Amino acid sequence: MRMSVNLRDLFLYEAFLYYNPLLLVTMMVWLWGVNLWVFAQSTISYAKIFDLDQNHLTHREIWKVATWMTIIVPISMTAYLYLYSHGEVSLAASQPVFLYCAVALILIFPFDIFYLSSRYYLLRTLWRIVFPLQAITFSDFFLADILTSMSKVFSDLERSVCRMVHRQVATIAWFEADSVCGSHSIGIPIILVLPYIFRLFQCLRQYKDTKEKTALFNALKYSTAVPVIFLSALKYHVLPDSWTNFYRPLWLLSGVLNSLYSFYWDVTRDWDLSCFTRIFKFNKPSLCSHLLHGRKWVYFWVIGSNFILRLAWTYKLSAHLRHNYLTVFTITALEMIRRFQWVFFRVENEWTKMSSKSNLQLSEISSEEDKLLAPSNHNV
């Protein structure tokens, strides 16, 4: 409160930049725990879908991780705010650096603590996403789809790490928009586009392996995000008249195209509307199952909210709109909620396909056995 209004806004913006990525990741972990809880209550075997071993994390372990993250991240943020406002600038600057280093070390820690097998499963999947040199599994493109919803998180992580590396934490060096870690940096659109490029390459690899044309149309969907991101970034590198008269209309058109294509693909390809709410049919009677299973409003809510949030999604992909950090944070959080809804029906659709394939194989085996056991008309 001792700061001027302008300085306070810049200070809070910087603090928010360092901590909002980890807060959003924490939120995503909580939501993933809810997904696993629903799967555990229903007849869907998510362990079989993702090819998990017996030591995989349940929703309880996921929520335990999320609880620790919910405690540690706000404590570090509070320490940063307190120390900086009391003149301990160097100590304040060390808080986000220490937190980021701790997270990185925990992820790669080679000893059998902190859920070693699950951490390495995550790291192996991320490696296959970045380098799709083998056949694409369901867990590969499932996680890659989730990463596209977190592209803004990765962009802010890149900005934060850039300032840490250049020792600009708790300084005013980054206030210049054209600096190496400024808001006009070319690194922002590059990081934003990477999850879509990874997913596009996965689709191309899938087409190479299966020759299914659907994979090419899916690749086209991810390619439509590229012009949205780079046309937005051009605002800082072209004349104002050029932006207003030419590039801005192109950006709006590409944003609408990307949103509508993605919405169409969600509803017609990723989801199976014929079994839309079967996932909420729990093994035991519960209030959640009573409210959600077989209810028509679930159709309207999921499709309607998915459509609206797909359109809002363009905002968070646009580098030239990132100055309003609270709005971008809210839209990114809403995008994660949209993805949280998407997970239910995408996993259910995959389970339905696996079950149908398994039933078909059993039917074929039974038919062959019947032929072998059928009485013969030959005379001996």
Side-chain angles (χ1 to χ4, degrees):
M1 295 302 296
R2 292 193 296 267
M3 299 178 183
S4 65
V5 176
N6 292 335
L7 182 59
R8 187 190 313 145
D9 288 343
L10 290 171
F11 167 65
L12 291 176
Y13 170 75
E14 184 187 18
F16 196 77
L17 175 69
Y18 299 139
Y19 290 100
N20 95 84
L22 296 180
L23 290 172
L24 289 169
V25 170
T26 301
M27 174 185 169
M28 201 65 177
V29 175
W30 277 112
L31 294 176
W32 176 241
V34 176
N35 287 134
L36 294 187
W37 177 79
V38 172
F39 297 152
Q41 306 305 311
S42 65
T43 57
I44 293 178
S45 175
Y46 66 89
K48 186 176 180 180
I49 292 175
F50 293 105
D51 194 24
L52 302 175
D53 59 26
Q54 295 180 348
N55 297 322
H56 70 270
L57 300 186
T58 66
H59 61 275
R60 293 184 180 86
E61 283 85 16
I62 294 294
W63 283 339
K64 186 183 295 184
V65 173
T67 300
W68 279 109
M69 295 173 69
T70 305
I71 295 171
I72 293 172
V73 175
I75 286 177
S76 177
M77 185 174 182
T78 303
Y80 176 85
L81 295 171
Y82 179 84
L83 291 170
Y84 190 93
S85 62
H86 285 74
E88 300 290 343
V89 177
S90 59
L91 286 176
S94 67
Q95 298 304 308
V97 175
F98 177 77
L99 181 62
Y100 276 54
C101 291
V103 170
L105 288 174
I106 289 174
L107 276 176
I108 64 174
F109 202 60
F111 301 105
D112 194 8
I113 56 175
F114 303 130
Y115 310 115
L116 176 66
S117 61
S118 296
R119 286 188 286 113
Y120 275 39
Y121 176 87
L122 173 64
L123 293 175
R124 286 194 302 270
T125 306
L126 290 172
W127 178 266
R128 292 195 302 269
I129 290 171
V130 177
F131 302 102
L133 304 178
Q134 65 291 306
I136 306 301
T137 65
F138 179 78
S139 58
D140 292 342
F141 66 74
F142 180 85
L143 180 58
D145 271 329
I146 292 177
L147 296 184
T148 61
S149 293
M150 301 178 69
S151 56
K152 176 62 171 59
V153 172
F154 298 128
S155 175
D156 285 347
L157 283 174
E158 186 272 336
R159 294 292 85 198
S160 300
V161 173
C162 178
R163 292 173 187 177
M164 293 174 189
V165 170
H166 291 86
R167 299 189 178 185
Q168 295 181 2
V169 181
T171 69
I172 62 172
W174 60 270
F175 288 179
E176 297 181 8
D178 294 325
S179 67
V180 65
C181 299
S183 59
H184 297 181
S185 171
I186 191 62
I188 294 174
I190 290 176
I191 298 299
L192 281 173
V193 83
L194 279 180
Y196 301 94
I197 297 298
F198 294 150
R199 192 67 184 90
L200 186 149
F201 284 152
Q202 281 187 331
C203 294
L204 296 178
R205 172 67 198 222
Q206 195 171 15
Y207 175 74
K208 177 179 179 294
D209 294 336
T210 64
K211 304 302 180 184
E212 294 179 358
K213 292 184 178 180
T214 305
L216 292 180
F217 290 115
N218 201 12
L220 180 63
K221 181 191 73 172
Y222 293 104
S223 69
T224 60
V226 177
V228 179
I229 295 170
F230 282 102
L231 285 172
S232 171
L234 279 177
K235 180 181 179 180
Y236 301 122
H237 306 283
V238 298
L239 297 174
D241 289 342
S242 298
W243 166 254
T244 304
N245 299 324
F246 182 72
Y247 292 108
R248 187 171 182 270
L250 282 179
W251 166 71
L252 289 172
L253 179 63
S254 61
V256 171
L257 176 64
N258 172 259
S259 298
L260 293 179
Y261 196 167
S262 300
F263 170 75
Y264 165 80
W265 197 271
D266 285 342
V267 175
T268 62
R269 297 290 182 176
D270 286 347
W271 301 342
D272 182 2
L273 298 183
S274 64
C275 58
F276 205 85
T277 57
R278 193 164 61 192
I279 191 173
F280 297 113
K281 186 178 181 180
F282 291 174
N283 295 323
K284 297 180 181 178
S286 70
L287 178 61
C288 180
S289 181
H290 175 72
L291 292 175
L292 298 177
H293 174 60
R295 303 295 182 179
K296 288 185 177 179
W297 70 266
V298 176
Y299 285 87
F300 298 115
W301 167 260
V302 174
I303 293 176
S305 61
N306 191 73
F307 176 73
I308 294 171
L309 294 177
R310 277 293 189 184
L311 292 175
W313 188 35
T314 303
Y315 192 103
K316 78 178 182 63
L317 290 179
S318 303
H320 76 280
L321 299 174
R322 65 188 293 118
H323 57 277
N324 194 340
Y325 57 92
L326 289 177
T327 302
V328 175
F329 176 83
T330 302
I331 291 177
T332 306
L334 289 174
E335 164 65 13
M336 291 187 175
I337 293 174
R338 186 200 67 80
R339 184 62 69 178
F340 161 73
Q341 295 179 156
W342 175 91
V343 165
F344 288 123
F345 308 112
R346 184 65 188 90
V347 171
E348 180 188 34
N349 191 18
E350 185 66 20
W351 177 248
T352 302
K353 292 178 182 178
M354 291 177 65
S355 300
S356 300
K357 185 177 180 180
S358 177
N359 292 335
L360 180 61
Q361 290 174 346
L362 290 175
S363 177
E364 291 176 351
I365 293 174
S366 178
S367 177
E368 290 177 0
E369 289 179 347
D370 290 342
K371 291 179 181 179
L372 292 173
L373 295 176
S376 174
N377 293 324
H378 296 292
N379 294 322
V380 180

